[in-house]
Amino acid sequence: MSQLGIPQIKESAALTREVLEQHFNDLKGTLRKLLDERLVLLLQEVDAIEQESIKPLDECQKLIEHGVSTADDLLQEGECVIHGVMGEQNEKLCSFTKKALHIQLDSLPEVPALVDVPCLSAQLDDCLLTIVKNQIFNHGTVASRPPVQIEELTEKPGGILVRWCKVDDDFIPQDYRLQSRKSTAHHFEDVYVGSEMEFIVLQIDPNVDYQFRVCARGDGRQEWSPWSIPQTGRSTLVPHEWTAGLEGYSLSSRRNIALRNDSQSCGGVLYSKAPTYFCGQTLTFRIEAVGQLDKRDSIGVCVEQQNGYDSLQRDKAVCISTNGAVFVNGKEMTNQLPAVTCGSTVTFDMEVVHLGPNNNEGGSFKLRVTISSNNREVVFDWVLDHSCGSLYFGCSFSYPGWKVLVF
């Protein structure tokens, strides 16, 4: 028996190595990029301070050099005047004197003191390496026992109900994360994140294996726990589908969502493609969008398709209206459920409670029916004149805007 767990250990160990190597390679690349970006910013700051500090000093130096050059030229010109020809001295001396009066040799700019000149240096905190080192040494853990595990996989028509449970009593969960993948796929994909401990995964192809895994996030934490052991499940049940082609209704690609469109004419009740609901199962309708209420609206199940009716409020059918009224074989019950709203889930559960003896009228067949909606339910017996192995489901809406998902 111990050998049965060896492949699981080897597979999870190999996957863990792959995840660790990929994570730390990504981390090294990110850290290198961040360090390079920080270095570029600091070098740009050095360049900016250097240019800003040198510019006024350059201007001051140019002014000084210009003043010295002007004074030197004037000095040379004065020497020429002194050593010049006597007849020309008076004229050149007059010109030299005028030029000397217009040149301000005593107006050179003030040279800043050396203590006022910037002196750049790099200020680097040596403790950063210690902090980063401590963070890296404490980064990541390897866990061998996840705090949550998948408890049960239940097949549904076109879906699988996944339930999970907490296996670590000390772990306080805040959220759960459920992933799935086809057996032929390489990567898992998120299908649910929330606080519930069960979820129906829809869009499931019948007779195809799917793998599921779940993890949790501790209270006040950001990181997710290790994944649970992957569990494999499949649904052999035929998906519920609405009948295509009825005027007044538009269907999704998988035909499990019906939308009452803006068509002025409606063909009456939209039935299921086939009688795919069996006693002992739970039939669920989820209201994805709502329109205007009408007392003739209906959502429910019936023995057979009957054209010519605008509602399931008729014989051989049980249904709930959008205002919450419950009808059995066309008669309204005293008990009533809340009106359906956007996001409401209406469920039908049935079980056989009595199969009467045959008589001249064909005998009787009794089903115990439970209809639930908005945390309330009604329970009653539905009497039929003959046994039914499977039932149709249907809906009818007088006004556009209603959208119903069935599963």
Side-chain angles (χ1 to χ4, degrees):
M1 293 296 291
S2 61
Q3 291 182 351
L4 297 177
I6 293 178
Q8 174 183 305
I9 296 173
K10 289 183 174 295
E11 181 180 352
S12 62
L15 179 61
T16 301
R17 291 189 190 96
E18 180 181 342
V19 170
L20 287 172
E21 290 172 357
Q22 183 64 48
H23 175 76
F24 276 86
N25 285 333
D26 292 343
L27 191 61
K28 285 190 288 186
T30 302
L31 288 175
R32 188 181 298 110
K33 180 181 178 182
L34 292 174
L35 289 172
D36 289 342
E37 290 177 352
R38 182 57 180 165
L39 175 60
V40 170
L41 288 175
L42 291 174
L43 292 177
Q44 289 176 348
E45 188 175 348
V46 170
D47 294 340
I49 295 175
E50 181 184 30
Q51 294 175 8
E52 182 181 353
S53 302
I54 288 179
K55 183 178 179 180
L57 294 178
D58 280 342
E59 294 175 350
C60 180
Q61 182 174 350
K62 290 177 181 178
L63 287 174
I64 293 175
E65 290 176 351
H66 178 70
V68 171
S69 176
T70 302
D72 185 55
D73 292 341
L74 187 61
L75 181 61
Q76 293 179 11
E77 185 177 348
E79 289 178 351
C80 290
V81 170
I82 294 173
H83 298 93
V85 181
M86 183 63 68
E88 299 176 351
Q89 277 186 329
N90 292 334
E91 183 180 350
K92 290 183 177 182
L93 182 61
C94 181
S95 174
F96 171 79
T97 303
K98 290 180 179 181
K99 186 181 294 187
L101 291 175
H102 285 88
I103 296 176
Q104 297 180 352
L105 297 177
D106 59 348
S107 62
L108 293 176
E110 181 181 0
V111 178
L114 192 59
V115 294
D116 296 328
V117 175
C119 180
L120 281 69
S121 64
Q123 303 297 310
L124 302 175
D125 192 351
D126 294 335
C127 70
L128 175 62
L129 184 59
T130 302
I131 296 174
V132 172
K133 181 179 178 180
N134 291 334
Q135 290 292 329
I136 290 176
F137 281 174
N138 292 314
H139 179 66
T141 58
V142 176
S144 59
R145 299 186 182 277
V148 290
Q149 293 286 357
I150 292 177
E151 184 178 32
E152 184 181 12
L153 299 176
T154 305
E155 62 175 347
K156 297 288 184 180
I160 296 178
L161 174 62
V162 185
R163 288 192 177 96
W164 54 89
C165 63
K166 189 177 70 165
V167 295
D168 184 350
D169 294 335
D170 297 328
F171 183 78
I172 301 176
Q174 174 181 299
D175 292 305
Y176 299 98
R177 180 183 178 189
L178 176 66
Q179 290 189 336
S180 71
R181 70 177 178 185
K182 272 188 178 181
S183 57
T184 55
H186 296 288
H187 302 288
F188 283 90
E189 294 183 355
D190 288 344
V191 292
Y192 173 77
V193 175
S195 58
E196 300 295 328
M197 299 184 70
E198 66 176 38
F199 183 76
I200 295 181
V201 182
L202 300 176
Q203 316 297 338
I204 294 292
D205 295 328
N207 300 310
V208 174
D209 285 340
Y210 286 80
Q211 279 194 324
F212 302 91
R213 66 181 185 180
V214 67
C215 66
R217 181 163 50 194
D219 189 23
R221 305 295 295 269
Q222 295 297 321
E223 71 279 3
W224 292 99
S225 73
W227 291 105
S228 66
I229 299 172
Q231 300 289 344
T232 301
R234 65 164 53 192
S235 176
T236 59
L237 303 176
V238 177
H240 292 316
E241 293 183 15
W242 299 102
T243 300
L246 182 65
E247 188 174 3
Y249 290 91
S250 303
L251 306 183
S252 62
S253 59
R254 285 182 175 259
R255 299 181 180 178
N256 59 343
I257 300 177
L259 169 66
R260 177 66 169 90
N261 56 39
D262 295 331
S263 176
Q264 295 300 318
S265 61
C266 180
V269 178
L270 175 65
Y271 291 103
S272 58
K273 180 181 178 181
T276 53
Y277 174 64
F278 297 87
C279 292
Q281 297 179 355
T282 297
L283 179 66
T284 304
F285 299 93
R286 190 166 69 208
I287 310 301
E288 304 288 313
V290 297
Q292 182 178 336
L293 297 177
D294 188 276
K295 65 180 182 179
R296 293 293 296 167
D297 294 340
S298 61
I299 303 171
V301 298
C302 58
V303 176
E304 58 190 6
Q305 296 179 347
Q306 293 186 9
N307 298 323
Y309 289 91
D310 62 352
S311 174
L312 284 174
Q313 299 172 21
R314 59 166 176 83
D315 190 34
K316 297 183 180 180
V318 293
C319 67
I320 176 177
S321 178
T322 51
N323 62 9
V326 178
F327 292 85
V328 182
N329 291 333
K331 296 180 180 180
E332 183 175 355
M333 293 185 61
T334 304
N335 294 334
Q336 193 168 354
L337 293 170
V340 297
T341 57
C342 185
S344 292
T345 298
V346 181
T347 61
F348 287 76
D349 291 276
M350 299 187 186
E351 60 177 333
V352 179
V353 293
H354 176 69
L355 183 62
N358 291 332
N359 52 36
N360 295 333
E361 297 179 1
S364 62
F365 184 71
K366 185 185 293 185
L367 297 176
R368 180 70 45 81
V369 181
T370 303
I371 305 178
S372 303
S373 178
N374 293 332
N375 297 320
R376 290 184 58 185
E377 65 179 30
V378 293
V379 182
F380 56 89
D381 290 337
W382 183 22
V383 179
L384 300 171
D385 55 10
H386 62 276
S387 63
C388 296
S390 58
L391 298 168
Y392 290 87
F393 58 85
C395 68
S396 64
F397 301 101
S398 300
Y399 297 98
W402 291 93
K403 182 189 289 188
V404 183
L405 165 67
V406 61
F407 58 90

